Amino acid sequence: MRLPRRFRGRHRLRHRSSPSRLLPLSACRQTAEYARHMFIRTTALHKGVQDIDAGVNARMQRQQALYAPGRSFHFMVWEPALHMLLCPRDVMAGQLDRLSGVFGMSTVQLSVVPLGAELSVVPTHGFWIFDDRLVMAETIGAELRLTDSAEIDLYRTVWDELSRVAVSGHQAHRLIARARASLDLM
């Protein structure tokens, strides 16, 4: 996901929600090896030709925003996404360790929607809310840029409902640690 040129430098990513269809972890928190496996899978699915190394490098560069003072990021993932093996176990272990590393960062809040949470909404795809003027939604075949206030309000409502059941802090860290420990059991 790349922010449109007209919004770069003017908007802060406040919220990110992963989809209910249990898609992989967000690009802003991916290790280089995990990102490489995601690019390989996406390229194969879309039967496209892509420079994997360039994609991984660009994704790693964009992550620098996580460390910029004055920025604010809130990420939300589904617990099953922590257990999905779309890469080798050692790569997933490193990815989960990376997620654990965001706890304590002043610019990042990470929440997890746990298994068994009672949901009042059914999100069908991942999305990002940038301030209150832009939502970017990802489907399997398209990336949508929504600027209509009614559409943005709808995504905000979904985000708020998911936030209501998500856990953060120590509870979220425990879910990530449990997923990490499960890798050693298989």
Side-chain angles (χ1 to χ4, degrees):
M1 190 274 312
R2 185 165 170 79
L3 188 60
R5 186 179 314 274
R6 67 186 173 141
F7 288 103
R8 284 185 224 149
R10 293 185 12 217
H11 294 271
R12 295 184 314 176
L13 174 64
R14 286 191 183 166
H15 306 291
R16 161 67 161 101
S17 173
S18 292
S20 61
R21 290 177 297 160
L22 314 177
L23 294 181
L25 301 168
S26 171
C28 285
R29 300 175 313 268
Q30 291 178 356
T31 64
E33 282 305 305
Y34 186 87
R36 182 175 313 287
H37 284 277
M38 295 306 100
F39 276 119
I40 291 168
R41 288 181 180 277
T42 301
T43 300
L45 176 66
H46 292 279
K47 296 174 178 44
V49 177
Q50 185 174 3
D51 185 343
I52 303 294
D53 290 334
V56 170
N57 290 337
R59 186 161 287 178
M60 296 303 104
Q61 187 64 32
R62 283 194 299 271
Q63 288 184 17
Q64 294 307 307
L66 296 175
Y67 304 98
R71 306 288 301 263
S72 175
F73 301 89
H74 184 173
F75 299 103
M76 188 182 310
V77 300
W78 296 88
E79 183 180 359
L82 303 173
H83 295 271
M84 289 175 36
L85 286 176
L86 298 172
C87 58
R89 289 183 185 287
D90 62 326
V91 173
M92 188 62 178
Q95 179 59 47
L96 293 170
D97 291 344
R98 165 83 164 103
L99 279 180
S100 292
V102 304
F103 292 102
M105 289 179 65
S106 63
T107 58
V108 178
Q109 180 182 345
L110 176 62
S111 300
V112 178
V113 177
L115 286 168
E118 273 189 50
L119 302 177
S120 61
V121 294
V122 182
T124 58
H125 54 267
F127 62 91
W128 291 261
I129 300 173
F130 293 88
D131 292 337
D132 292 319
R133 295 183 274 177
L134 173 67
V135 167
M136 293 184 73
E138 277 190 348
T139 66
I140 290 174
E143 181 178 276
L144 309 172
R145 292 177 174 97
L146 309 171
T147 57
D148 178 75
S149 62
E151 290 175 326
I152 292 170
D153 289 345
L154 182 62
Y155 279 89
R156 172 79 58 205
T157 297
V158 170
W159 177 268
D160 290 343
E161 286 300 309
L162 293 174
S163 292
R164 191 178 53 74
V165 298
V167 297
S168 58
H170 184 66
Q171 290 176 304
H173 190 265
R174 232 185 338 215
L175 293 176
I176 294 168
R178 182 168 61 195
R180 174 66 172 85
S182 74
L183 290 173
D184 297 331
L185 298 176
M186 297 181 183

